[in-house]
Short mmCIF file of all heavy atoms in Angstrom, two decimals:
data_model
loop_
_atom_site.label_atom_id
_atom_site.label_comp_id
_atom_site.label_asym_id
_atom_site.label_seq_id
_atom_site.Cartn_x
_atom_site.Cartn_y
_atom_site.Cartn_z
N PHE W 1 -36.10 81.21 -44.82
CA PHE W 1 -34.95 81.20 -43.89
C PHE W 1 -33.62 81.06 -44.61
O PHE W 1 -32.78 80.21 -44.28
CB PHE W 1 -35.12 80.12 -42.82
CG PHE W 1 -36.39 80.23 -42.06
CD1 PHE W 1 -37.35 79.23 -42.14
CD2 PHE W 1 -36.67 81.35 -41.31
CE1 PHE W 1 -38.55 79.33 -41.45
CE2 PHE W 1 -37.85 81.46 -40.62
CZ PHE W 1 -38.80 80.45 -40.68
N ILE W 2 -33.43 81.89 -45.64
CA ILE W 2 -32.13 81.96 -46.31
C ILE W 2 -31.14 82.62 -45.35
O ILE W 2 -31.40 83.71 -44.86
CB ILE W 2 -32.24 82.81 -47.61
CG1 ILE W 2 -33.26 82.22 -48.55
CG2 ILE W 2 -30.86 82.91 -48.26
CD1 ILE W 2 -33.65 83.15 -49.69
N GLN W 3 -30.06 81.93 -45.05
CA GLN W 3 -29.10 82.45 -44.10
C GLN W 3 -27.98 83.16 -44.85
O GLN W 3 -27.36 82.61 -45.74
CB GLN W 3 -28.50 81.32 -43.25
CG GLN W 3 -29.52 80.63 -42.40
CD GLN W 3 -28.93 79.51 -41.57
OE1 GLN W 3 -27.79 79.08 -41.78
NE2 GLN W 3 -29.71 78.98 -40.66
N VAL W 4 -27.74 84.42 -44.46
CA VAL W 4 -26.64 85.20 -45.04
C VAL W 4 -25.71 85.53 -43.88
O VAL W 4 -26.07 86.25 -42.95
CB VAL W 4 -27.14 86.46 -45.74
CG1 VAL W 4 -26.00 87.19 -46.41
CG2 VAL W 4 -28.26 86.17 -46.73
N GLY W 5 -24.53 84.96 -43.91
CA GLY W 5 -23.56 85.11 -42.81
C GLY W 5 -23.13 86.56 -42.62
O GLY W 5 -23.19 87.40 -43.53
N ALA W 6 -22.67 86.85 -41.41
CA ALA W 6 -22.13 88.19 -41.11
C ALA W 6 -21.04 88.56 -42.11
O ALA W 6 -20.12 87.77 -42.34
CB ALA W 6 -21.61 88.22 -39.68
N GLY W 7 -21.15 89.73 -42.69
CA GLY W 7 -20.16 90.20 -43.66
C GLY W 7 -20.16 89.45 -44.95
O GLY W 7 -19.24 89.60 -45.76
N GLY W 8 -21.19 88.64 -45.23
CA GLY W 8 -21.21 87.79 -46.42
C GLY W 8 -22.27 88.19 -47.42
O GLY W 8 -23.03 89.15 -47.24
N SER W 9 -22.33 87.40 -48.48
CA SER W 9 -23.35 87.62 -49.51
C SER W 9 -23.75 86.26 -50.06
O SER W 9 -23.02 85.27 -49.93
CB SER W 9 -22.86 88.53 -50.62
OG SER W 9 -21.81 87.91 -51.33
N GLN W 10 -24.90 86.25 -50.67
CA GLN W 10 -25.42 85.00 -51.28
C GLN W 10 -26.19 85.35 -52.55
O GLN W 10 -27.06 86.24 -52.51
CB GLN W 10 -26.30 84.24 -50.29
CG GLN W 10 -26.70 82.90 -50.81
CD GLN W 10 -27.34 82.03 -49.71
OE1 GLN W 10 -27.29 82.37 -48.54
NE2 GLN W 10 -27.94 80.95 -50.12
N ARG W 11 -25.88 84.67 -53.64
CA ARG W 11 -26.60 84.88 -54.90
C ARG W 11 -27.82 83.92 -54.93
O ARG W 11 -27.70 82.74 -54.63
CB ARG W 11 -25.67 84.58 -56.07
CG ARG W 11 -26.25 85.00 -57.40
CD ARG W 11 -26.10 86.46 -57.59
NE ARG W 11 -26.72 86.87 -58.88
CZ ARG W 11 -27.18 88.07 -59.09
NH1 ARG W 11 -27.09 89.00 -58.16
NH2 ARG W 11 -27.71 88.39 -60.23
N ILE W 12 -28.97 84.46 -55.27
CA ILE W 12 -30.21 83.68 -55.33
C ILE W 12 -30.75 83.73 -56.75
O ILE W 12 -30.74 84.79 -57.37
CB ILE W 12 -31.26 84.28 -54.38
CG1 ILE W 12 -30.74 84.43 -52.95
CG2 ILE W 12 -32.55 83.43 -54.41
CD1 ILE W 12 -30.42 83.14 -52.25
N GLU W 13 -31.21 82.57 -57.24
CA GLU W 13 -31.79 82.53 -58.59
C GLU W 13 -33.10 81.76 -58.56
O GLU W 13 -33.19 80.73 -57.88
CB GLU W 13 -30.82 81.84 -59.56
CG GLU W 13 -29.51 82.58 -59.75
CD GLU W 13 -28.56 81.90 -60.73
OE1 GLU W 13 -28.99 80.90 -61.37
OE2 GLU W 13 -27.42 82.34 -60.84
N HIS W 14 -34.08 82.25 -59.28
CA HIS W 14 -35.36 81.57 -59.46
C HIS W 14 -35.67 81.56 -60.93
O HIS W 14 -35.52 82.55 -61.62
CB HIS W 14 -36.51 82.35 -58.78
CG HIS W 14 -36.34 82.56 -57.31
ND1 HIS W 14 -36.83 81.66 -56.39
CD2 HIS W 14 -35.79 83.55 -56.60
CE1 HIS W 14 -36.59 82.15 -55.17
NE2 HIS W 14 -35.93 83.28 -55.27
N VAL W 15 -36.17 80.39 -61.42
CA VAL W 15 -36.66 80.29 -62.78
C VAL W 15 -38.01 79.58 -62.70
O VAL W 15 -38.10 78.50 -62.15
CB VAL W 15 -35.69 79.48 -63.68
CG1 VAL W 15 -36.26 79.32 -65.09
CG2 VAL W 15 -34.32 80.17 -63.75
N LEU W 16 -39.03 80.24 -63.26
CA LEU W 16 -40.36 79.64 -63.24
C LEU W 16 -40.91 79.55 -64.65
O LEU W 16 -40.72 80.46 -65.47
CB LEU W 16 -41.35 80.51 -62.43
CG LEU W 16 -41.15 80.51 -60.93
CD1 LEU W 16 -40.16 81.55 -60.51
CD2 LEU W 16 -42.46 80.74 -60.24
N ASN W 17 -41.58 78.43 -64.94
CA ASN W 17 -42.26 78.27 -66.22
C ASN W 17 -43.75 78.08 -65.94
O ASN W 17 -44.14 77.22 -65.13
CB ASN W 17 -41.73 77.03 -66.94
CG ASN W 17 -40.31 77.23 -67.43
OD1 ASN W 17 -40.02 78.18 -68.14
ND2 ASN W 17 -39.41 76.37 -67.02
N LEU W 18 -44.55 78.89 -66.60
CA LEU W 18 -46.01 78.82 -66.48
C LEU W 18 -46.54 78.20 -67.75
O LEU W 18 -46.50 78.81 -68.82
CB LEU W 18 -46.59 80.22 -66.26
CG LEU W 18 -48.11 80.31 -66.15
CD1 LEU W 18 -48.60 79.48 -64.97
CD2 LEU W 18 -48.54 81.75 -66.00
N VAL W 19 -47.02 76.97 -67.67
CA VAL W 19 -47.56 76.25 -68.80
C VAL W 19 -49.07 76.32 -68.75
O VAL W 19 -49.67 75.96 -67.74
CB VAL W 19 -47.06 74.76 -68.78
CG1 VAL W 19 -47.63 74.00 -69.96
CG2 VAL W 19 -45.55 74.70 -68.77
N ALA W 20 -49.65 76.79 -69.83
CA ALA W 20 -51.11 76.99 -69.85
C ALA W 20 -51.63 76.93 -71.26
O ALA W 20 -50.87 77.09 -72.23
CB ALA W 20 -51.47 78.33 -69.22
N SER W 21 -52.94 76.74 -71.38
CA SER W 21 -53.62 76.91 -72.67
C SER W 21 -54.77 77.89 -72.43
O SER W 21 -55.27 78.01 -71.32
CB SER W 21 -54.09 75.60 -73.24
OG SER W 21 -55.07 75.03 -72.41
N TYR W 22 -55.17 78.54 -73.48
CA TYR W 22 -56.20 79.58 -73.38
C TYR W 22 -57.35 79.25 -74.31
O TYR W 22 -57.13 78.95 -75.50
CB TYR W 22 -55.59 80.93 -73.69
CG TYR W 22 -54.41 81.22 -72.75
CD1 TYR W 22 -53.10 80.87 -73.09
CD2 TYR W 22 -54.63 81.77 -71.50
CE1 TYR W 22 -52.05 81.10 -72.25
CE2 TYR W 22 -53.58 81.99 -70.62
CZ TYR W 22 -52.30 81.65 -70.99
OH TYR W 22 -51.26 81.85 -70.12
N ASP W 23 -58.57 79.32 -73.81
CA ASP W 23 -59.75 78.91 -74.61
C ASP W 23 -60.47 80.07 -75.25
O ASP W 23 -61.50 79.89 -75.91
CB ASP W 23 -60.70 78.04 -73.78
CG ASP W 23 -61.20 78.74 -72.52
OD1 ASP W 23 -60.86 79.90 -72.32
OD2 ASP W 23 -61.88 78.07 -71.73
N GLN W 24 -59.97 81.32 -75.04
CA GLN W 24 -60.59 82.50 -75.63
C GLN W 24 -59.47 83.37 -76.28
O GLN W 24 -58.40 83.48 -75.71
CB GLN W 24 -61.30 83.32 -74.57
CG GLN W 24 -62.45 82.62 -73.87
CD GLN W 24 -63.63 82.43 -74.82
OE1 GLN W 24 -63.92 83.28 -75.64
NE2 GLN W 24 -64.30 81.27 -74.69
N PRO W 25 -59.75 83.97 -77.41
CA PRO W 25 -58.79 84.89 -77.99
C PRO W 25 -58.73 86.17 -77.17
O PRO W 25 -59.70 86.51 -76.48
CB PRO W 25 -59.33 85.16 -79.40
CG PRO W 25 -60.81 84.86 -79.32
CD PRO W 25 -60.96 83.81 -78.24
N GLY W 26 -57.62 86.88 -77.27
CA GLY W 26 -57.48 88.17 -76.58
C GLY W 26 -56.10 88.34 -75.97
O GLY W 26 -55.22 87.51 -76.11
N ASP W 27 -55.95 89.49 -75.30
CA ASP W 27 -54.66 89.80 -74.65
C ASP W 27 -54.52 89.06 -73.34
O ASP W 27 -55.48 88.93 -72.56
CB ASP W 27 -54.58 91.33 -74.36
CG ASP W 27 -54.50 92.16 -75.63
OD1 ASP W 27 -54.21 91.60 -76.71
OD2 ASP W 27 -54.73 93.37 -75.56
N VAL W 28 -53.29 88.61 -73.07
CA VAL W 28 -52.95 87.98 -71.79
C VAL W 28 -51.71 88.69 -71.26
O VAL W 28 -50.74 88.89 -71.95
CB VAL W 28 -52.65 86.46 -71.97
CG1 VAL W 28 -52.20 85.86 -70.66
CG2 VAL W 28 -53.88 85.73 -72.52
N THR W 29 -51.78 89.09 -70.01
CA THR W 29 -50.64 89.74 -69.33
C THR W 29 -50.06 88.73 -68.31
O THR W 29 -50.78 88.11 -67.55
CB THR W 29 -51.08 91.00 -68.57
OG1 THR W 29 -51.62 91.93 -69.53
CG2 THR W 29 -49.91 91.66 -67.86
N VAL W 30 -48.75 88.60 -68.36
CA VAL W 30 -48.03 87.70 -67.44
C VAL W 30 -47.16 88.59 -66.52
O VAL W 30 -46.38 89.38 -67.04
CB VAL W 30 -47.16 86.67 -68.17
CG1 VAL W 30 -46.37 85.82 -67.19
CG2 VAL W 30 -48.03 85.80 -69.08
#
């Protein structure tokens, strides 16, 4: 429910960090 007023604009930013460990060798796609 992001509200954008009539005739207006709003800048949105998202930053995500995925912390993980891997127990097998090989390619990983994110």
Side-chain angles (χ1 to χ4, degrees):
F1 305 117
I2 301 166
Q3 297 179 349
V4 185
S9 66
Q10 186 168 349
R11 190 79 183 154
I12 307 293
E13 297 180 8
H14 300 270
V15 177
L16 289 87
N17 291 305
L18 178 60
V19 179
S21 65
Y22 303 92
D23 57 4
Q24 298 290 323
D27 293 344
V28 176
T29 300
V30 177

